[in-house]
Amino acid sequence: QTDGSLSIAATMLFAPYLIFAWLNSRIWTKKHPEDSKILKIENTTIFLGRIPTRSTIQKYQAVFDCVAELPVNSKNSYFQYSSLDLIPLQADQLQRAVEVFNQLMAAASSQSTQQHVLIYCALGYSRSSAILCAWLMQQQHATQVNEAIQIVQSARPWVRLNDVQIKNLNASLIERIKGDPQSLYKLSPRQFEEIIAEILADMGCNVRLMPETRDGGRDVLATFKTKLGEFLATVQCKRQ
């Protein structure tokens, strides 16, 4: 439902599954049950964590729910972009999730009192972290994917995003640059190289990103096939 809860009938119908899924979330987070303070912006502090209990959720003035497989019962300001566990969010999904999270942040910042905001998924490890990283870049708290991940991991070291999630975060950044080309000049040199490599890979090239230093002027190696055979292109990335 719109407040994150299930009807009584649905709860009864799915009770065995819900019990198992809830216990699973608690077992996997047994060593790290706490929420993590990620960032404070004016009157709003952002926390990242696992799906909260009723008592935990009362600590927050607003929550952002990323969980499709489990309900919550929130009496506070509630926003959601639900997705299933183990299915990485695509670039367009990350952008839509960021738009919803911005609505939450706007509502929180309009309050005169201190606001504590919780963004969560079942474990607080993956889905919510990916959305938060995308938001950190969109709001320019981070200029590249690795920097956004470092901000999250500095407060929550056990967070790990896989290669597909990182690729999709880079893709979401590319989509944002398309809408705001000037933001290209705000990227670090390495992030610019990563984006070029991502674009070449999407074009069907077999791409190798070279080391940041001592690359001999070769930032990206791209192998591509044509009717005449296979070719290797050496790419040096320059914005000007």
Side-chain angles (χ1 to χ4, degrees):
Q1 301 186 91
T2 56
D3 63 352
S5 64
L6 285 177
S7 66
I8 295 176
T11 301
M12 293 177 64
L13 178 63
F14 292 107
Y17 160 77
L18 294 173
I19 292 171
F20 174 81
W22 180 266
L23 289 174
N24 183 64
S25 75
R26 266 38 202 169
I27 291 170
W28 279 100
T29 57
K30 183 179 180 180
K31 291 184 178 180
H32 304 292
E34 69 276 11
D35 300 332
S36 305
K37 179 181 175 180
I38 305 297
L39 189 67
K40 181 176 172 58
I41 306 170
E42 297 179 349
N43 71 322
T44 305
T45 305
I46 301 172
F47 291 81
L48 173 64
R50 65 181 184 176
I51 186 169
T53 62
R54 289 189 180 185
S55 59
T56 299
I57 211 168
Q58 298 307 314
K59 301 176 182 178
Y60 298 97
Q61 284 70 48
V63 295
F64 188 88
D65 183 0
C66 306
V67 188
E69 66 271 21
L70 282 169
V72 296
N73 189 1
S74 175
K75 303 300 183 183
N76 302 326
S77 183
Y78 176 83
F79 294 78
Q80 65 171 275
Y81 189 88
S82 301
S83 62
L84 293 171
D85 195 13
L86 302 179
I87 301 178
L89 292 168
Q90 300 300 307
D92 59 334
Q93 293 175 307
L94 287 168
Q95 287 183 297
R96 290 197 295 271
V98 166
E99 290 173 2
V100 180
F101 192 71
N102 276 330
Q103 295 173 18
L104 179 153
M105 291 298 292
S109 63
S110 67
Q111 303 299 313
S112 58
T113 57
Q114 291 294 313
Q115 300 289 297
H116 285 184
V117 168
L118 174 67
I119 177 171
Y120 65 87
C121 55
L123 308 181
Y125 292 173
S126 183
R127 285 169 286 178
S128 52
S129 298
I131 291 172
L132 188 55
C133 284
W135 179 83
L136 287 168
M137 291 189 294
Q138 194 259 357
Q139 292 293 312
Q140 299 180 8
H141 297 294
T143 58
Q144 55 185 317
V145 174
N146 288 340
E147 185 180 350
I149 294 173
Q150 287 172 4
I151 291 173
V152 172
Q153 288 181 334
S154 65
R156 203 168 175 81
W158 48 91
V159 164
R160 292 290 183 271
L161 299 183
N162 60 40
D163 290 342
V164 175
Q165 290 172 311
I166 292 173
K167 178 181 178 180
N168 291 343
L169 281 167
N170 274 318
S172 71
L173 183 59
I174 292 171
E175 290 301 315
R176 181 164 63 84
I177 290 172
K178 288 179 181 178
D180 180 19
Q182 290 301 314
S183 64
L184 188 67
Y185 296 96
K186 299 175 183 177
L187 303 177
S188 69
R190 186 58 172 180
Q191 187 179 24
F192 182 61
E193 293 169 4
E194 291 172 346
I195 287 175
I196 296 301
E198 186 72 27
I199 292 172
L200 290 170
D202 288 342
M203 293 171 62
C205 296
N206 185 12
V207 174
R208 179 185 173 191
L209 188 63
M210 300 299 287
E212 290 188 65
T213 58
R214 298 181 181 178
D215 58 14
R218 302 175 301 167
D219 298 320
V220 181
L221 298 181
T223 305
F224 59 96
K225 294 180 179 180
T226 72
K227 294 180 179 180
L228 298 176
E230 188 173 81
F231 293 85
L232 173 65
T234 300
V235 181
Q236 187 173 36
C237 302
K238 300 292 184 183
R239 281 175 283 193
Q240 294 179 345

